[in-house]
Amino acid sequence: MTSASDRLAGERLDYLAGSLADAAPADPLALCDAWLRDAFARRESRGDISDPTAVVLSTVALDADGTPRPRSRTVLLKRLDADGAVVYTNLESDKGRELRVTPRAALLMPWYPLQRQVRIEGPVEEVPAEESDAYWASRPRGSQLGAWASHQSREIDSRDALEARYAEVEARFEGAEVPRPEFWGGLRIRPERIEFWQGRAHRVHDRIVYERSADGARTGAWERHRLQP
């Protein structure tokens, strides 16, 4: 039987879904918003984007000798505006601890059926407590309990042990509101570089990158360039 791996080199997909004009807007956040709206519309019309908010967050872990180890995982994007991109997590998880040591991250927003992706890079900071509180209050109760039950990224003996932890937390907060744990909150990636990728025929893809200008931190201005694919 031929393995899936044997098929990889021969796989070919023609990218014909669209184009990214040189006349892209001056503000990359406007284009991010438009593409995100397109992703939601695609889910509603075709259903082939299961979650437009699913993004890949990459951080850097450092070994004891200082060797950098890039690490990536899928998380959910919960806010995207002029202040940056916000995700929520257990701040004692691997990514939370890694970002305390190296507070910079890369975020990849892949919308494969649209043959598009957006890359956001920049420094990371915790969001204010009141912002985390507001989002926490909007979460389903089960998700709140799950955050309390999970020592995220730490080892556990079995699934049964994890279910037992959840049951303990459920009993502890029975009949009461579930407060936000101090170890749980939001992380904001403040963009310094945003790249838009649109698939095109013959692998001659469109790539437009925005980078903060020299005074961009003060004025909010961006410099825009087209990159070769």
Side-chain angles (χ1 to χ4, degrees):
M1 178 183 296
T2 302
S3 72
S5 178
D6 293 333
R7 295 183 54 181
L8 296 179
E11 279 296 299
R12 294 289 184 273
L13 174 66
D14 208 2
Y15 293 89
L16 301 171
S19 63
L20 184 52
D22 289 324
D27 182 357
L29 275 304
L31 188 53
C32 277
D33 186 71
W35 278 22
L36 188 55
R37 284 188 280 110
D38 287 347
F40 278 110
R42 176 77 178 219
R43 181 180 68 176
E44 292 161 7
S45 65
R46 300 279 292 274
D48 52 2
I49 296 180
S50 61
D51 190 347
T53 74
V55 299
V56 178
L57 176 68
S58 297
T59 57
V60 175
L62 298 177
D63 286 350
D65 63 358
T67 302
R69 304 288 184 188
R71 306 180 73 180
S72 299
R73 75 286 288 163
T74 300
V75 297
L76 301 178
L77 183 67
K78 291 303 177 183
R79 189 167 184 84
L80 180 63
D81 56 24
D83 291 328
V86 176
V87 302
Y88 288 89
T89 188
N90 183 319
L91 299 173
E92 297 301 322
S93 64
D94 283 350
K95 57 184 171 296
R97 292 183 294 112
E98 289 156 10
L99 287 168
R100 279 199 298 274
V101 175
T102 307
R104 300 189 66 85
L107 199 69
L108 172 66
M109 305 161 67
W111 298 304
Y112 300 119
L114 293 171
Q115 299 175 0
R116 288 175 174 173
Q117 64 180 7
V118 179
R119 297 166 59 192
I120 298 177
E121 300 169 10
V124 178
E125 61 189 32
E126 289 187 29
V127 306
E130 58 270 21
E131 193 172 331
S132 289
D133 287 341
Y135 176 68
W136 174 266
S138 74
R139 302 185 87 208
R141 184 179 179 85
S143 298
Q144 294 175 338
L145 294 171
W148 274 99
S150 173
H151 294 169
Q152 194 174 105
S153 305
R154 306 285 77 81
E155 291 186 9
I156 195 165
D157 290 338
S158 65
R159 178 72 193 189
D160 286 345
L162 182 59
E163 297 285 359
R165 287 187 56 84
Y166 185 92
E168 291 170 6
V169 169
E170 191 173 32
R172 187 198 317 172
F173 293 111
E174 185 177 4
E177 291 188 2
V178 183
R180 178 177 67 87
E182 290 186 2
F183 58 76
W184 189 97
L187 296 169
R188 175 176 282 110
I189 299 95
R190 290 197 175 272
E192 292 180 340
R193 185 180 190 275
I194 304 178
E195 180 185 322
F196 296 86
W197 182 97
Q198 174 70 66
R200 297 294 302 273
H202 314 302
R203 301 300 190 265
V204 187
H205 308 304
D206 284 337
R207 295 176 66 189
I208 300 290
V209 63
Y210 293 77
E211 295 180 290
R212 285 291 190 191
S213 62
D215 62 349
R218 177 176 59 83
T219 65
W222 294 87
E223 294 178 350
R224 182 181 59 202
H225 312 281
R226 177 175 285 273
L227 302 181
Q228 298 181 60

